[in-house]
Amino acid sequence: MNFLVKILLGGISVIIAEYLIPGIHIDTAVTGFILAAVIILINITLKPILIVLTLPITILTLGLFLLVINALMFMLADRIIPGFQVDGFWWAVLFAIVVSIINSLFGNSLNPSKPSQ
């Protein structure tokens, strides 16, 4: 049940962020919820590997490189999901920041290993 709540809140947050950012395009609300589910799956599988591999540069940038990793996750989702389009890398970085802020306001995390409060 907790997984479905994360997908629901994540879908709402990506739809809100898409409305705010002109470089992000989501065709339908269903695509937004699919995007949230795919991002959760990417965060389960690929993100931990990338974090470990890029740990030195993440430490040197005081954690700011994690924004680059999040942007790359959204750009990967752009390749996977029809109906979701990112116009460029910097739009993906801005989208990652806005989605993170909205998720924190909802008390949600698109990382399923962290329990919701």
Side-chain angles (χ1 to χ4, degrees):
M1 184 66 178
N2 192 20
F3 185 72
L4 293 176
V5 171
K6 286 187 178 293
I7 291 174
L8 178 67
L9 291 176
I12 292 169
S13 66
V14 297
I15 291 169
I16 292 170
E18 185 262 342
Y19 178 75
L20 296 173
I21 301 171
I24 304 295
H25 310 285
I26 299 174
D27 288 345
T28 64
V30 174
T31 305
F33 293 109
I34 292 171
L35 172 63
V38 168
I39 289 297
I40 289 172
L41 292 175
I42 289 173
N43 284 344
I44 290 171
T45 57
L46 292 177
K47 191 173 180 181
I49 296 167
L50 287 175
I51 288 174
V52 169
L53 291 175
T54 62
L55 191 60
I57 194 167
T58 302
I59 292 171
L60 285 175
T61 61
L62 302 175
L64 289 177
F65 194 74
L66 291 174
L67 286 174
V68 173
I69 293 174
N70 286 337
L72 292 174
M73 298 300 107
F74 282 114
M75 293 184 77
L76 176 63
D78 174 23
R79 301 284 184 186
I80 295 171
I81 302 171
F84 173 61
Q85 180 184 356
V86 179
D87 287 345
F89 174 75
W90 293 109
W91 289 116
V93 170
L94 182 60
F95 188 64
I97 292 169
V98 171
V99 167
S100 296
I101 291 170
I102 294 170
N103 277 328
S104 66
L105 291 175
F106 284 159
N108 187 30
S109 169
L110 290 181
N111 188 356
S113 63
K114 294 181 183 177
S116 294
Q117 305 267 336

